[in-house]
Amino acid sequence: FFFFCRGIFITGSSLVGAAIKAPRIQSKNLISVIFCEAVAIYGVIMAIIMQTKVIETAEGVSPSAYAGYGLFAAGITVGLANLCCGLCVGITGSSCALADAQNPALFVKILIVEIFGSALGLFGVIIGIIMAGKCAYE
């Protein structure tokens, strides 16, 4: 949670600062903030998927340690991937806003790099879904 907020802070502060020099970049560079919000949505999606895997066991029956550690590992994997993604998107979004204020031709080029950084979080979610799919309390 903290790291995608940090990405929004980095991008937002650079966007506001650069918009003083070039007001035209305000709406165009909001895409960087939206990418940071997508990181939070990845975490919510994974939490919903993992919550469906948890069931109550009968009294006297211990839950599966394999499933518990598997869900824990899936959560850690998605969390670390989103940590990297949030910082990457925040820093790249900041540089995108500053570069766009100087030269409008750079916006699309840096936005492509930002999209690749955002894909890190999506890859983490895919791996987390695969890991959580193998976990079942039986």
Side-chain angles (χ1 to χ4, degrees), residues 6 9-10 12-13 25 34 45-46 50 52-53 58-59 74 86-87 95 103 111-112 119 123 128-130:
R6 181 77 175 153
F9 174 73
I10 292 169
S13 60
I25 71 166
I34 293 169
I45 290 169
M46 200 59 212
M50 291 189 330
T52 60
K53 297 288 183 178
E59 190 173 325
L87 288 175
S95 64
N103 184 359
L111 188 65
I112 291 172
F123 295 151
I129 289 171
I130 293 169

Side-chain angles (χ1 to χ4, degrees), residues 6-7 10 18 23 33-34 37 53 60 69 80 90 102 118 124 134 136:
R6 181 77 175 153
I10 292 169
V33 176
I34 293 169
E37 289 293 328
K53 297 288 183 178
Y69 284 121
L80 290 176
Q102 293 295 320
S118 181
K134 300 289 184 183

Side-chain angles (χ1 to χ4, degrees), residues 17-75:
I20 293 171
K21 181 182 183 321
R24 63 178 169 70
I25 71 166
Q26 286 177 345
S27 60
K28 187 165 60 168
N29 281 289
L30 282 178
I31 190 92
S32 301
V33 176
I34 293 169
F35 281 152
C36 289
E37 289 293 328
V39 175
I41 293 170
Y42 295 156
V44 170
I45 290 169
M46 200 59 212
I48 292 170
I49 290 171
M50 291 189 330
Q51 186 270 337
T52 60
K53 297 288 183 178
V54 177
I55 60 171
E56 285 188 40
T57 58
E59 190 173 325
V61 178
S62 61
S64 169
Y66 174 81
Y69 284 121
L71 290 177
F72 178 73

Side-chain angles (χ1 to χ4, degrees), residues 70-128:
L71 290 177
F72 178 73
I76 290 292
T77 301
V78 173
L80 290 176
N82 285 338
L83 179 146
C84 296
C85 176
L87 288 175
C88 178
V89 169
I91 292 169
T92 310
S94 171
S95 64
C96 184
L98 296 173
D100 186 30
Q102 293 295 320
N103 184 359
L106 295 174
F107 176 73
V108 175
K109 296 173 185 172
I110 297 177
L111 188 65
I112 291 172
V113 174
E114 192 172 357
I115 291 170
F116 286 134
S118 181
L120 290 174
L122 190 58
F123 295 151
V125 170
I126 292 169
I127 291 171

